[in-house]
């Protein structure tokens, strides 16, 4: 018995040694693994200084089968690349031609060994399901039952059935201090507030995932409670937040409040322990147009479920058109929290999401409304914004969501010129991304530019992946598909930090996200399926970081909200990317 224990310890120590990847040396790869027929790359990293010059000396790598230590592949490492985003240098191990299935490791003689990884079909299924299920764990006002939530079951918090109209939100119909009910929806992030602007892009991305891959999602099971039994899980999950968003619209005039929030952030407590007053705060143009876009898209998606949800589609369309007309009379009402706090009490110091440019929201809302209704005025609005530049989607930048929807439903909007313009713009963006891949030490689109590394950088990786998939679907060129997969691999571990950034996935993932339930529940493992923000040299949280360069500035600490928080607008593009790649393996694409 004693012998067994010490042997175990021995192996434990060895594996600790081999697996320790907190430093900036070692082998970085997708910790979930690889599809048998897809490209396969791992990256050996080291520092630029001569003292850790192992990269100069090593040339050969081996892929070893975990079960019997057989060498199944031997290859030569690429020449050294210097990173543009840190002082790291890398060499690539390409083993794309290995298509045997199983569990393997990569070793480089005299250096190191990788985490174990799998080669198999559906290899990203766990991340795909977990990233969607994560939204269930974010549900406000609901008890999470053990049958669905397992060890993360918890009591309901934030009922939000008596929410105060903040003085900034007063109207003829709702006086200051009036009480309204706006229950449910998803908590935004590591905090317990609910913000329409951020919900907008998250919902648009999830609804688009469904519209693009209907047959795949129709059968995808995530073990969540159904609001409605006969609709797919993803639509049940979206519905939970949709009903909340609709309740944030003032039915009297169509304007939408920016958020349902505390005056200040809750401490690191469980939802049911939170006692602060909740407010709906100031209506705004971005929030109202985001609701218009989401409700218009939801109106056409849920129309197919008229039997199960008889009034939903009509209510959504009504809400969307009412929001649109409110926005027409308030075309540029910025949410400026500092200015608001000069005027009203209590001061609100939770997240701002203070977008100042609205052309992209106008375009997105017009696109969704036009696709759903076919009305001429919405098409005119689309055309009036066609000369504007829209960047990669993020909470203040939603224009491309309109492009994606217009492309998806091209038959219906019947405008070849519009279609051609959108296609060529997206192809140009994707080509620019791909041009940078060979100069990036990790051979991914993510990190092609230093500016990729901002607060929520991992969402950039996922959103770039979505754009590449859109272009793959219109061109059928595999280089775009491979590049999209490369970005999922970045998220799953082929990056400078060595983390797979999705909680509960891979061998080395965040254990201490800035996420109140994960911190306060007394359970060692964080809530699974959540995407950490990722490297952000801005380090606005002023926490302790061991590494500071653009691609390394990440720390797995619950202090670090600028790199290790989680958020619904980061998880939603991960849902799209991981599920789309799973779906495309089996030709589930429904449109284009
Ligand atoms: O994701 C947001 C990021 O782009 C901003 O730079 C940052 C500061 O305003 O806020 C981030 O959003 C946070 C929001 O304000 C409150 N909930 C948590 C969000 C993620 O950190």
């Amino acid at each position: 018995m004693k012998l067994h224990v010490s042997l175990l310890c021995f192996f434990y120590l060895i594996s600790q040694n081999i697996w320790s990847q907190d430093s900036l040396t070692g082998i970085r790869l997708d910790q979930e693994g690889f599809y048998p027929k897809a490209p396969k790359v791992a990256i050996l990293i080291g520092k630029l200084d001569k003292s850790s010059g192992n990269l100069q000396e090593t040339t050969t790598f081996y892929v070893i089968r975990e079960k019997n230590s057989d060498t199944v592949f031997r290859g030569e490492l690429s020449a050294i690349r210097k990173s543009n985003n840190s002082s790291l240098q890398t060499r690539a191990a390409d083993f794309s031609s290995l298509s045997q299935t199983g569990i393997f490791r990569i070793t480089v003689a005299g250096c190191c060994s990788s985490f174990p990884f799998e080669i198999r079909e559906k290899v990203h299924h766990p991340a795909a399901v977990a990233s969607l299920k994560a939204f269930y764990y974010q549900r406000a006002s609901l008890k999470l039952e053990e049958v669905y939530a397992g060890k993360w079951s918890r009591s309901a918090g934030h009922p939000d059935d008596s929410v105060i109209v903040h003085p900034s939100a007063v109207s003829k119909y709702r006086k200051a201090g009036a009480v309204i009910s706006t229950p449910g929806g998803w908590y935004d992030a590591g905090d317990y507030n609910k913000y329409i602007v951020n919900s907008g892009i998250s919902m648009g991305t999830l609804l688009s995932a469904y519209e693009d891959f209907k047959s795949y999602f129709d059968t995808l099971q995530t073990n969540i409670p159904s609001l409605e039994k006969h609709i797919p899980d993803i639509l049940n999950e979206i519905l939970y937040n949709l009903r909340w968003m609709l309740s944030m619209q003032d039915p009297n005039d169509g304007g939408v409040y920016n958020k349902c929030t505390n005056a200040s952030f809750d401490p690191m407590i469980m939802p049911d322990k939170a006692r602060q007053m909740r407010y709906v705060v100031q209506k705004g143009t971005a929030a109202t147009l985001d609701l218009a876009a989401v409700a218009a898209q939801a109106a056409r998606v849920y129309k197919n479920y008229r039997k199960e949800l008889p009034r939903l589609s009509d209510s959504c369309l009504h809400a969307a058109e009412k929001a649109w007309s409110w926005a027409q009379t308030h075309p540029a009402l910025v949410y400026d929290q500092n200015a608001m706090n000069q005027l009203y009490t209590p001061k609100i110091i939770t997240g701002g999401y203070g977008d100042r440019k609205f052309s992209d929201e106008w375009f997105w809302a017009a696109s969704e409304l036009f696709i759903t209704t076919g009305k001429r005025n919405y098409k005119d609005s689309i055309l009036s914004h066609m000369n504007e530049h829209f960047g990669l989607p993020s909470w203040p930048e939603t224009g491309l969501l309109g492009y994606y929807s217009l492309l998806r439903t091209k038959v219906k909007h019947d405008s070849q010129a519009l279609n051609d313009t959108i296609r060529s713009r997206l192809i140009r963006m994707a080509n620019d991304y791909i041009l940078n891949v060979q100069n990036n030490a990790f051979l991914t689109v993510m990190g092609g530019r230093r500016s990729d590394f901002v607060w929520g950088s991992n969402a950039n990786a996922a959103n770039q992946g979505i754009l590449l998939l859109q272009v793959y679907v219109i061109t059928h060129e595999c280089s775009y598909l491979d590049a999209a997969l490369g970005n999922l691999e970045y998220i799953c571990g082929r990056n400078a930090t060595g983390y797979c950034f999705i909680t509960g996935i891979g061998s080395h993932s965040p254990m201490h996200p800035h996420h109140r339930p994960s911190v306060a529940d007394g359970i060692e493992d964080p809530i699974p399926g959540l995407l950490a923000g990722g490297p952000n040299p801005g380090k606005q949280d002023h926490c302790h970081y061991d590494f500071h360069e653009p691609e390394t500035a990440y720390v797995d600490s619950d202090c670090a909200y600028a790199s290790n928080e989680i958020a619904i607008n980061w998880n939603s593009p991960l849902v799209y990317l991981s599920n789309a790649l799973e779906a495309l393996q089996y030709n589930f694409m429904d449109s284009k």
Side-chain angles (χ1 to χ4, degrees):
M1 193 63 185
K2 216 168 177 190
L3 179 70
H4 280 168
V5 171
S6 44
L7 262 181
L8 266 179
C9 290
F10 177 68
F11 281 118
Y12 178 71
L13 285 176
I14 289 187
S15 62
Q16 283 293 296
N17 188 30
I18 294 170
W19 287 16
S20 166
Q21 301 225 347
D22 283 336
S23 63
L24 294 179
T25 53
I27 297 171
R28 306 298 198 234
L29 47 59
D30 184 329
Q31 294 168 26
E32 274 204 309
F34 302 87
Y35 297 113
K37 296 200 183 88
K40 297 170 198 73
V41 173
I43 304 285
L44 176 66
I45 70 167
K47 295 235 181 74
L48 269 182
D49 65 273
K50 294 260 161 43
S51 59
S52 55
N54 56 21
L55 291 192
Q56 312 282 344
E57 288 133 36
T58 41
T59 54
T60 308
F61 71 94
Y62 303 88
V63 183
I64 314 285
R65 190 179 282 281
E66 187 75 345
K67 205 167 57 190
N68 52 13
S69 300
D70 279 359
T71 298
V72 293
F73 189 94
R74 177 180 181 281
E76 295 304 303
L77 293 164
S78 75
I80 290 177
R81 285 187 176 81
K82 291 190 170 115
S83 179
N84 299 318
N85 302 312
S86 69
S87 48
L88 290 174
Q89 56 182 4
T90 69
R91 302 189 75 165
D94 188 328
F95 55 109
S96 300
S97 59
L98 177 65
S99 59
Q100 291 178 39
T101 57
I103 301 177
F104 307 93
R105 247 178 234 264
I106 293 187
T107 63
V108 175
C111 168
C112 41
S113 176
S114 74
F115 292 123
F117 62 87
E118 250 185 303
I119 299 180
R120 67 170 174 101
E121 303 290 352
K122 297 193 180 185
V123 73
H124 288 296
H125 184 74
V129 170
S131 59
L132 178 55
K133 176 78 179 265
F135 285 84
Y136 164 70
Y137 290 111
Q138 288 295 99
R139 289 187 186 190
S141 323
L142 187 81
K143 177 176 161 60
L144 303 191
E145 308 277 354
E146 198 180 341
V147 58
Y148 307 113
K151 64 181 173 187
W152 297 283
S153 64
R154 61 162 171 81
S155 307
H158 304 89
D160 290 343
D161 50 1
S162 51
V163 172
I164 296 173
V165 175
H166 187 259
S168 62
V170 164
S171 70
K172 194 161 87 193
Y173 316 98
R174 288 178 170 175
K175 308 285 173 222
V179 172
I180 67 165
S181 177
T182 178
W186 302 313
Y187 295 127
D188 181 60
D191 62 319
Y192 290 140
N193 304 295
K194 304 186 291 190
Y195 309 80
I196 287 288
V197 167
N198 208 38
S199 258
I201 182 166
S202 308
M203 293 280 277
T205 306
L206 293 177
L207 284 163
S208 293
Y210 179 71
E211 282 197 297
D212 279 340
F213 299 100
K214 273 198 192 76
S215 5
Y216 166 85
F217 280 112
D218 278 345
T219 55
L220 187 75
Q221 307 278 323
T222 58
N223 185 31
I224 56 167
S226 302
L227 293 173
E228 182 41 68
K229 281 209 168 31
H230 301 290
I231 70 174
D233 277 6
I234 188 171
L235 293 187
N236 258 308
E237 195 53 62
I238 293 171
L239 185 56
Y240 193 76
N241 200 58
L242 179 62
R243 290 199 161 131
W244 168 68
M245 285 186 81
L246 293 170
S247 75
M248 288 289 284
Q249 181 175 45
D250 182 344
N252 301 296
D253 61 10
V256 179
Y257 304 107
N258 276 291
K259 52 180 171 173
C260 168
T261 183
N262 298 348
S264 59
F265 290 113
D266 281 313
M268 290 290 184
I269 51 177
M270 291 302 280
D272 62 309
K273 299 288 181 293
R275 296 284 175 266
Q276 287 196 54
M277 210 75 100
R278 303 280 270 183
Y279 299 90
V280 285
V281 177
Q282 196 193 298
K283 293 168 189 165
T285 306
T288 304
L289 287 173
D290 283 348
L291 186 273
V294 167
Q297 189 173 13
R300 62 173 185 268
V301 167
Y302 288 94
K303 202 171 177 171
N304 295 328
Y305 295 95
R306 271 234 182 86
K307 214 170 85 216
E308 295 81 4
L309 298 158
R311 283 178 303 277
L312 183 67
S313 173
D314 290 347
S315 311
C316 285
L317 188 53
H318 179 72
E321 296 213 86
K322 209 160 172 179
W324 176 267
S325 16
W326 185 91
Q328 283 187 308
T329 52
H330 304 82
L333 185 55
V334 174
Y335 180 67
D336 180 342
Q337 195 155 275
N338 291 335
M340 184 186 81
N341 283 337
Q342 301 301 311
L343 298 176
Y344 306 109
T345 52
K347 287 191 196 315
I348 304 290
I349 56 168
T350 53
Y353 291 119
D355 194 3
R356 299 182 162 269
K357 174 180 77 81
F358 304 112
S359 52
D360 52 308
E361 282 83 11
W362 278 110
F363 182 84
W364 181 32
S367 303
E368 300 300 350
L369 276 158
F370 177 61
I371 295 163
T372 302
T373 66
K375 289 185 187 165
R376 180 79 222 179
N377 61 316
Y378 299 125
K379 182 158 185 187
D380 291 344
S381 183
I382 292 173
L383 296 175
S384 74
H385 290 287
M386 273 315 281
N387 288 332
E388 284 164 43
H389 168 79
F390 301 132
L392 189 70
S394 62
W395 63 262
E397 188 69 89
T398 56
L400 290 197
L401 298 186
Y403 279 19
Y404 299 162
S405 286
L406 288 166
L407 271 187
R408 176 185 315 123
T409 51
K410 60 180 180 292
V411 221
K412 293 183 197 127
H413 69 72
D414 187 29
S415 172
Q416 195 53 43
L418 185 66
N419 201 34
D420 290 348
T421 310
I422 292 174
R423 279 172 71 107
S424 60
R425 284 184 189 168
L426 290 178
I427 292 172
R428 202 175 321 128
M429 284 178 84
N431 288 346
D432 285 350
Y433 284 148
I434 287 190
L435 271 183
N436 289 334
V437 168
Q438 285 302 321
N439 297 327
N440 177 354
F442 289 82
L443 296 172
T444 53
V445 163
M446 177 60 187
R449 300 175 189 134
R450 275 189 172 225
S451 57
D452 287 345
F453 298 101
V454 291
W455 195 322
S457 59
N458 283 335
N460 281 343
N463 274 305
Q464 290 167 348
I466 295 177
L467 189 142
L468 290 158
L469 286 179
Q470 295 287 328
V471 172
Y472 166 66
V473 167
I474 53 187
T475 60
H476 302 289
E477 279 181 32
C478 287
S479 54
Y480 301 114
L481 178 65
D482 295 347
L485 180 58
N487 268 19
L488 182 60
E489 294 186 355
Y490 169 92
I491 289 172
C492 293
R494 184 170 140 199
N495 61 61
T497 70
Y499 279 88
C500 166
F501 290 115
I502 310 166
T503 55
I505 298 288
S507 305
H508 187 52
S509 57
M511 289 300 286
H512 308 285
H514 180 93
H515 180 239
R516 280 162 178 70
S518 295
V519 172
D521 63 6
I523 296 165
E524 191 182 356
D525 294 330
I527 284 165
L530 298 167
L531 179 63
N536 170 19
K539 298 177 289 175
Q540 294 88 339
D541 46 46
H542 306 296
C543 302
H544 173 79
Y545 283 68
D546 287 329
F547 307 107
H548 308 274
E549 295 174 300
E551 67 187 350
T552 62
Y554 168 78
V555 58
D556 180 18
S557 151
D558 56 45
C559 167
Y561 57 80
S563 69
N564 204 32
E565 191 167 353
I566 65 89
I568 55 173
N569 64 315
W570 307 338
N571 251 76
S572 58
L574 176 63
V575 167
Y576 189 114
L577 180 61
S578 54
N579 284 283
L581 286 165
E582 280 289 297
L584 285 167
Q585 295 298 304
Y586 302 97
N587 295 324
F588 270 122
M589 190 78 189
D590 288 305
S591 55
K592 301 189 179 99

